[in-house]
Amino acid sequence: MKKYILVGVILASLLACLIESMIQNYEKSLKESVYLSTRVQLSAKVLTLKSIIDRNFNFMSALEAYVVTSNYLYNTSDSDVNDYLKTLYKGGGSAAFNYYIAPAGTVKFIYPVEGNESFVNFDLLHDPREMIKRQLERAFQSKAITVNGPFKLAQGNNGLVARKALYRDNTFWGFVSVGLDLDDILNKSEMVQTNNHDSVLAVRIPGHPAFYGSDSVFQGKFFLNTLVLAEGEWEVAAQPNPDRIKEVHLQILLMRLGSYLTLLLVFGFFTSILYQRNKLKLKVASRTQELLLTNEYLISVNKELISGELELRKSEQRFSYMAYTDALTNIPNRVRFHSRLDEVLQQLRDEEALQSATVLYFDLDDFKLVNDTYGHYMGDLLLKEIAKRIQQVELPIDLFARLGGDEFALLLIEQQGEEQICRVVENMLSLLKDPCDLGGQEYYVALSIGIARYPTGGKTVEELFKSADIAMYEAKKAGGSSYKFFNRRMESDTIAKMELVSHLRQALERKELLLHYQPQVDCLKGQIIGVEALLRWNHSTKGYISPATFIPLAEEMGIIIPIGDWVLQQACNQMKIWHDAGLPRIKLAVNLSVKQFQDEQLVDKVRMILQQTGLEAKYLELEITENIGMKDEELGILRELRQLGVSISVDDFGMNYSSLSYLKRFPVTKIKLDQSFIRGIQTDEKDRAMIKTMIFLAQSFGLEVIAEGVESLAEAEYLLENGCSQIQGYYFYRPTEVDGLEEIFHNQSNLKLN
């Protein structure tokens, strides 16, 4: 009897050891799973935090670029600077408290002003606070971005202040600065624990207490990542959520209780067998089988945990892939391209094997038209097709990336001359000669490519991208599917253009814009029947600037609408003054730009100006060009204007294929023959035939006809003979200012040709 009991005890002890070993292994695998999850969460959140902080620090580069490109605010008005700070502050994704610019160290510009009144005109160079003094010393020494904080702000939040000292011709010019809401940044990076599956996080500057989370996180078992900032670094530590560890301990405790209870039952059964060997033999066998199944189950659970660990490792790899890959095209993204280019430039600076670096920066011409016409889904298909074609052809490209939207970039690192680079670009353009199929619609792609080479185009990532962007803009001006190499003349032209744009924005305020008026004559009646208002710019230092130069610039920069509103207001007011003074009640013609016609408030503005000036609507004629109003939704705008009583004239008629469509579909009252046809009256039979046809068509539709650009008697006589008696041009009158036009009215004689 004792022998059997001893055997039973030994067997039970061995089985208990086996079960304990399995439970310990299982507990270990569960904890490793929790720790692995903690490491993955730490890596992901540090990456997100880094991205958000870098994005906010990039506003420093935007401030610096604005100051530098505006010639260190020379001839830049305070309102323009404040408008720029306001636009930058309200841009998407910003966690800034404020932005300011401090020429010579004194805060002159700050946004928002509310809540920051004490900083206006504050002299940073004499700030008594030690931490500010130390930061300024670092700024002077490094000439790079310096970071002060984290520290408690007056608003109660944790904040960071980034500053950079700017130098002009190696002489200190001043500071630019961004104040950041650190709590907002941490919230956006999802550092806050929201459930018991989230890790417990803390952030500190090495050697200092944690400014986020608890110092206890940095004690015991924790995982640590280092976050490198513009100046210095932070340590981010993570510990598993205690609730997760408690869950593991509870699960293991229940497993032990169950296992040992089972073992106790088995031992009881074994003891019972000593007394009822034959009766319980089958039952013992059954229980033994159950234990074997339990063992197999535990083994299978262990295998699943191992599989789960492998899956977590794959997830970590996927996180890394997603961080550097464009989700739409599956090619490298902007972050990866910047990182690789920075690595290449470092090798070049260190005089390693690399000898050259070239950036090709391009986008799709008129890509917005694809989205507007076919929808964003088709636009995405086009972007994927472009990426696919460039990837499939062997080109000596180190890296090809999508930067965002329809912008792409390529990096060449082999030593190549301009001819070799041109061959690469020509091969790229040849890839896109065949149309792209967009859901059954064929679409031909045109690229504008800007090329910047190291070191002539720049020695840093930012400089190369800026140079390539300038070159791409020049390529766009040259027409579709073209490319340009960056040169310093382009940069000076761009700066000159920005200066002209800046002056144009101030032209209204400085009263440099004025109107000239050119009379329109009816040769049958022998009298002036109308005038056209023409915009002129008399720059305070450059003199008169051609409308052909500044009007397209105003269109491009989006300031044509306020200028056009001013022209309409001034012209209508002047015509009302002439009517009240007893001068002939003739029509006033005013040009509408494409941008003005796309203004949703156009009809309301015209109605309001007529009410304010008191000019009757029948005396106002709005001139539109054939590239305006060809969409059905814009037909309603023309009808509303006609309902006001305003006349509609088509300028440059005959220069577009849509001429007949205009006469048929749109409520126009007059057509204006383009001067290019008038020039050919005496030499080109086709121009004469075109003029006859257009006059006949207009008369068939019951429309008035006027010819512009008439400069000779022969041209005027031919037009009159063929049914066009209304003429505008130098033959009768040049554009003149108000006083000159009033003199013409008082002295006009018979203007009949016969």
Side-chain angles (χ1 to χ4, degrees):
M1 183 68 177
K2 292 182 179 179
K3 177 181 178 181
Y4 288 113
I5 293 176
L6 180 60
V7 171
V9 171
I10 293 173
L11 290 175
S13 300
L14 292 175
L15 190 55
C17 292
L18 176 61
I19 292 174
E20 182 62 25
S21 176
M22 293 172 61
I23 291 175
Q24 289 179 358
N25 288 336
Y26 180 55
E27 180 180 15
K28 180 180 178 182
S29 63
L30 285 178
K31 289 183 177 179
E32 287 179 350
S33 177
V34 172
Y35 295 146
L36 178 59
S37 175
T38 300
R39 288 198 298 271
V40 171
Q41 288 186 20
L42 176 62
S43 298
K45 293 192 176 184
V46 168
L47 182 62
T48 303
L49 178 60
K50 170 68 173 174
S51 175
I52 293 174
I53 292 176
D54 286 348
R55 184 168 70 245
N56 280 278
F57 278 0
N58 283 341
F59 288 106
M60 288 289 293
S61 300
L63 280 175
E64 179 182 2
Y66 177 77
V67 171
V68 174
T69 55
S70 62
N71 197 17
Y72 293 86
L73 307 185
Y74 180 73
N75 282 341
T76 302
S77 69
D78 291 357
S79 62
D80 278 358
V81 179
N82 288 326
D83 286 346
Y84 177 79
L85 290 178
K86 179 179 179 181
T87 301
L88 193 64
Y89 179 84
K90 296 188 179 227
S94 173
F97 276 119
N98 57 48
Y99 300 95
Y100 68 71
I101 301 175
T106 300
V107 179
K108 183 178 181 182
F109 306 100
I110 187 167
Y111 191 89
V113 176
E114 183 178 355
N116 295 287
E117 292 85 356
S118 62
F119 283 91
V120 177
N121 296 322
F122 184 76
D123 187 355
L124 294 173
L125 298 179
H126 293 86
D127 194 317
R129 293 172 293 180
E130 287 300 321
M131 62 179 179
I132 302 301
K133 290 181 179 180
R134 290 194 296 270
Q135 186 187 21
L136 296 182
E137 289 176 2
R138 298 197 306 273
F140 286 131
Q141 292 172 359
S142 66
K143 296 185 180 180
I145 295 176
T146 60
V147 181
N148 189 20
F151 53 82
K152 279 288 184 181
L153 299 173
Q155 296 88 338
N157 293 21
N158 285 316
L160 294 174
V161 175
R163 291 189 180 89
K164 184 172 183 181
L166 303 185
Y167 289 82
R168 185 180 186 186
D169 298 328
N170 293 322
T171 300
F172 171 67
W173 179 85
F175 295 105
V176 292
S177 177
V178 176
L180 300 177
D181 184 350
L182 180 57
D183 291 344
D184 186 31
I185 290 174
L186 293 171
N187 286 333
K188 287 180 179 178
S189 63
E190 299 181 350
M191 297 289 285
V192 179
Q193 178 181 337
T194 59
N195 57 61
N196 65 349
H197 290 283
D198 286 346
S199 304
V200 180
L201 301 173
V203 188
R204 70 181 182 185
I205 298 174
H208 293 79
F211 60 83
Y212 173 78
S214 172
D215 282 329
S216 62
V217 178
F218 289 92
Q219 301 169 3
K221 175 110 176 140
F222 68 95
F223 303 100
L224 185 68
N225 272 20
T226 300
L227 178 63
V228 180
L229 301 177
E231 182 186 39
E233 60 186 32
W234 293 350
E235 291 180 343
V236 184
Q239 283 185 347
N241 191 308
D243 291 339
R244 292 287 304 278
I245 301 299
K246 289 179 181 178
E247 289 176 1
V248 172
H249 290 161
L250 179 59
Q251 185 176 353
I252 295 303
L253 177 61
L254 293 176
M255 183 175 290
R256 278 198 173 94
L257 289 175
S259 299
Y260 289 133
L261 180 59
T262 302
L263 180 60
L264 185 60
L265 290 174
V266 172
F267 185 76
F269 283 126
F270 178 78
T271 305
S272 298
I273 289 173
L274 295 177
Y275 296 98
Q276 304 178 24
R277 185 178 307 171
N278 294 328
K279 182 179 178 180
L280 299 178
K281 184 176 181 180
L282 294 176
K283 193 173 182 179
V284 171
S286 174
R287 295 297 183 182
T288 304
Q289 183 64 31
E290 288 180 7
L291 286 174
L292 293 175
L293 291 175
T294 302
N295 185 45
E296 291 178 359
Y297 170 73
L298 292 175
I299 293 174
S300 66
V301 169
N302 189 48
K303 289 181 178 179
E304 290 179 3
L305 289 173
I306 294 174
S307 176
E309 182 179 352
L310 293 175
E311 186 62 31
L312 285 173
R313 290 177 182 173
K314 291 180 181 178
S315 298
E316 192 173 18
Q317 292 174 350
R318 283 196 297 271
F319 278 133
S320 177
Y321 175 80
M322 292 166 59
Y324 293 101
T325 305
D326 177 58
L328 177 65
T329 59
N330 287 323
I331 64 176
N333 61 11
R334 178 185 292 271
V335 175
R336 176 68 183 114
F337 193 89
H338 277 234
S339 174
R340 174 57 180 159
L341 180 55
D342 187 59
E343 175 186 324
V344 168
L345 295 180
Q346 185 60 50
Q347 290 177 325
L348 289 169
R349 287 190 287 267
D350 294 342
E351 298 183 356
E352 295 186 12
L354 292 176
Q355 297 180 351
S356 174
T358 303
V359 173
L360 278 65
Y361 181 48
F362 68 89
D363 65 10
L364 281 61
D365 297 336
D366 299 323
F367 179 69
K368 184 177 183 297
L369 183 62
V370 177
N371 282 335
D372 293 344
T373 305
Y374 302 111
H376 288 276
Y377 173 74
M378 292 301 179
D380 288 346
L381 288 181
L382 179 60
L383 294 175
K384 289 194 282 189
E385 177 65 17
I386 298 300
K388 177 182 176 183
R389 290 193 186 184
I390 294 179
Q391 281 181 297
Q392 287 180 341
V393 177
E394 292 187 4
L395 294 172
I397 298 172
D398 179 75
L399 190 64
F400 170 44
R402 178 183 176 223
L403 307 182
D406 64 327
E407 298 176 351
F408 295 85
L410 294 93
L411 176 61
L412 310 179
I413 61 173
E414 297 180 3
Q415 182 67 37
Q416 300 181 27
E418 280 198 11
E419 291 185 4
Q420 294 170 300
I421 295 174
C422 287
R423 283 197 293 271
V424 172
V425 175
E426 294 291 350
N427 287 337
M428 280 180 55
L429 295 176
S430 68
L431 297 175
L432 304 173
K433 285 184 178 179
D434 295 332
C436 296
D437 183 5
L438 300 182
Q441 295 285 339
E442 289 190 344
Y443 186 81
Y444 287 88
V445 177
L447 304 181
S448 296
I449 305 174
I451 306 169
R453 307 183 67 192
Y454 175 91
T456 56
K459 296 182 179 180
T460 67
V461 173
E462 292 76 16
E463 289 174 352
L464 283 171
F465 264 98
K466 176 184 174 183
S467 299
D469 189 21
I470 292 173
M472 183 180 72
Y473 178 79
E474 293 295 321
K476 281 188 179 295
K477 292 197 297 185
S481 290
S482 59
Y483 57 92
K484 293 288 184 181
F485 285 86
F486 171 80
N487 57 56
R488 291 300 168 187
R489 177 191 58 77
M490 291 181 182
E491 186 173 32
S492 61
D493 289 347
T494 300
I495 294 174
K497 176 183 174 182
M498 291 179 65
E499 179 183 357
L500 191 62
V501 169
S502 178
H503 290 176
L504 183 56
R505 291 183 187 276
Q506 304 171 37
L508 274 175
E509 181 182 333
R510 295 178 176 177
K511 302 185 185 309
E512 294 178 352
L513 296 182
L514 66 156
L515 294 180
H516 284 189
Y517 299 89
Q518 186 173 30
Q520 299 171 333
V521 175
D522 190 317
C523 296
L524 289 179
K525 296 179 180 179
Q527 62 187 24
I528 297 173
I529 58 170
V531 295
E532 180 179 5
L534 300 171
L535 181 62
R536 297 292 184 263
W537 182 12
N538 186 11
H539 194 280
S540 57
T541 58
K542 301 179 185 293
Y544 278 97
I545 298 176
S546 170
T549 298
F550 74 83
I551 289 181
L553 195 59
E555 288 268 9
E556 178 185 348
M557 303 310 296
I559 56 178
I560 193 64
I561 290 181
I563 292 176
D565 294 344
W566 178 86
V567 170
L568 186 60
Q569 178 83 38
Q570 293 296 312
C572 289
N573 188 61
Q574 183 60 55
M575 182 55 71
K576 176 61 176 173
I577 291 173
W578 282 330
H579 286 180
D580 292 345
L583 296 182
R585 290 181 173 267
I586 59 177
K587 282 192 174 182
L588 165 70
V590 179
N591 284 282
L592 284 183
S593 72
V594 177
K595 297 287 187 182
Q596 282 181 277
F597 195 74
Q598 294 171 349
D599 183 1
E600 295 179 354
Q601 301 178 356
L602 174 62
V603 177
D604 292 334
K605 288 180 178 179
V606 173
R607 181 186 294 110
M608 182 180 65
I609 289 174
L610 290 174
Q611 292 174 350
Q612 290 176 345
T613 61
L615 180 67
E616 295 182 59
K618 65 182 179 180
Y619 293 115
L620 176 60
E621 180 178 276
L622 297 177
E623 291 190 2
I624 62 176
T625 57
E626 288 188 75
N627 58 347
I628 294 179
M630 286 311 297
K631 296 180 180 178
D632 290 337
E633 58 266 26
E634 293 170 337
L635 176 60
I637 296 177
L638 290 177
R639 287 175 175 165
E640 289 186 58
L641 291 172
R642 289 289 296 126
Q643 289 172 359
L644 291 178
V646 174
S647 301
I648 304 296
S649 172
V650 181
D651 198 8
D652 300 334
F653 186 79
M655 295 300 292
N656 194 292
Y657 71 89
S658 60
S659 300
L660 288 177
S661 176
Y662 254 90
L663 298 183
K664 178 181 177 182
R665 301 179 60 204
F666 293 93
V668 299
T669 57
K670 180 188 290 187
I671 65 171
K672 198 169 191 179
L673 302 181
D674 186 71
Q675 60 183 344
S676 63
F677 297 112
I678 308 303
R679 296 287 177 270
I681 283 179
Q682 301 181 57
T683 59
D684 194 323
E685 184 62 35
K686 291 182 180 180
D687 281 345
R688 290 196 291 271
M690 284 287 291
I691 289 173
K692 288 182 180 179
T693 301
M694 287 188 287
I695 295 173
F696 174 77
L697 283 173
Q699 292 173 343
S700 299
F701 282 92
L703 304 177
E704 294 183 72
V705 186
I706 187 171
E708 65 177 344
V710 179
E711 297 184 354
S712 69
L713 176 61
E715 293 171 351
E717 289 178 337
Y718 182 84
L719 291 165
L720 184 61
E721 290 171 2
N722 288 276
C724 178
S725 63
Q726 296 184 18
I727 288 174
Q728 177 180 341
Y730 286 4
Y731 176 68
F732 285 110
Y733 298 107
R734 291 175 176 270
T736 182
E737 295 187 51
V738 172
D739 294 342
L741 189 61
E742 291 176 352
E743 184 178 347
I744 289 174
F745 278 133
H746 291 303
N747 299 326
Q748 69 171 311
S749 57
N750 193 334
L751 300 173
K752 292 185 178 180
L753 294 181
N754 48 29

